[in-house]
Amino acid sequence: MGQYTKDIYRDPSGPPAEARETPYIRNFEDTVNLIVSKEPIRVCVTGAAGQIAYSLLYSVAKGDVFGKDQPVNLLMLDIAPMMGVLEGVKMELQDCALSLLREVVATDDPEVGFKDCDVAMLVGAMPRREGMERKDLLAANVKIFKVQGQALDKVAKKTVKVVVVGNPANTNACICAKYAPSIPRENFSALTRLDQNRAQAMVS
Ligand SMILES: NC(=O)c1ccc[n+]([C@@H]2O[C@H](COP(=O)([O-])OP(=O)(O)OC[C@H]3O[C@@H](n4cnc5c(N)ncnc54)[C@H](O)[C@@H]3O)[C@@H](O)[C@H]2O)c1
Ligand SMILES: O=C(O)C[C@H](O)C(=O)O
């Protein structure tokens, strides 16, 4: 096994044909060949030191979101005071030794986080506190999505898909798209399924 492991990593075309007949090698080969055959995509998650990202990052990195054969370069963006926490998150991801996870970058610079990215998951924003409504978040969060829209416009791929989680998600998505005019508007989505589910639950 050790010998084939080394060979596969040295030679992306995989082990010799006879080795493919060996069940445990075939499983290993399936995994490795699928991984080496695709280019990694660049996925940026903002608010990467926060609560939602703590679950989301692991799902992205282990293939639940983009597929079990899709390697990922993970770009984690948060604000400067959170860089210590973010380094901890990075170490935890590395500890998981996930085969699909390639590069992991922790940054507080949107132009680094969004550089050439294929997918941007915009989670980073102030959450509601007790007694607040979502509209109370506008003052703080609008600024974030303006800056991030500008950075996406400047450095992300023009094909980037942007999903906005930070609330109010629909307004923030609209602002982000406005400040990223070189990216098609249809590439921006607000994740409002939570509200849809709540509405359905209320009327059912
Ligand atoms: N769309 C939905 O279904 C849905 C569901 C739940 C929560 N939310 C929203 O998601 C957002 C995040 O929630 P959370 O519980 O993870 O909050 P959190 O406070 O735990 O994490 C937010 C993170 O964003 C970071 N952040 C703040 N400004 C930033 C900036 N300019 N750039 C990058 N990162 C920045 C913070 O430092 C923090 O680490 C909130 O706005 C919340 O209301 C949306
Ligand atoms: O709005 C929030 O505070 C977060 C989330 O979208 C919710 O409605 O619970």
Side-chain angles (χ1 to χ4, degrees), residues 42-54 56-57 60 65-66 74-78 107 109-115 117-127 137 141-153 155-156 160-180 183 185 187-192:
R42 291 172 68 79
V43 179
C44 179
V45 176
T46 75
Q51 299 291 325
I52 292 178
Y54 196 69
L56 178 62
L57 287 166
V60 169
V65 180
F66 300 105
L74 202 48
L75 305 150
M76 305 191 297
L77 178 68
D78 211 291
T107 182
D109 181 349
E111 291 191 18
V112 173
F114 294 139
K115 180 74 182 155
C117 80
D118 297 283
V119 177
M121 300 177 158
L122 307 187
V123 182
M126 188 207 277
L137 300 172
N141 289 346
V142 159
K143 290 183 217 138
I144 295 174
F145 288 88
K146 176 180 174 185
V147 170
Q148 293 187 353
Q150 289 167 330
L152 283 162
D153 198 53
V155 301
V160 65
K161 297 285 194 309
V162 183
V163 292
V164 179
V165 177
N167 276 319
N170 48 356
T171 310
N172 291 337
C174 181
I175 290 162
C176 196
K178 176 179 159 60
Y179 285 97
I183 298 167
R185 278 182 81 81
N187 289 17
F188 293 80
S189 304
L191 299 193
T192 53

Side-chain angles (χ1 to χ4, degrees), residues 127-128 134 167 194-195 198:
R128 271 189 305 160
R134 286 189 189 162
N167 276 319
L194 172 65
D195 297 345
R198 280 187 188 153

Side-chain angles (χ1 to χ4, degrees), residues 45-49 76-91 105-110:
V45 176
T46 75
M76 305 191 297
L77 178 68
D78 211 291
I79 52 175
M82 300 304 284
M83 286 303 105
V85 175
L86 204 50
E87 281 303 321
V89 174
K90 182 176 172 179
M91 282 189 261
V105 173
T107 182
D108 60 355
D109 181 349

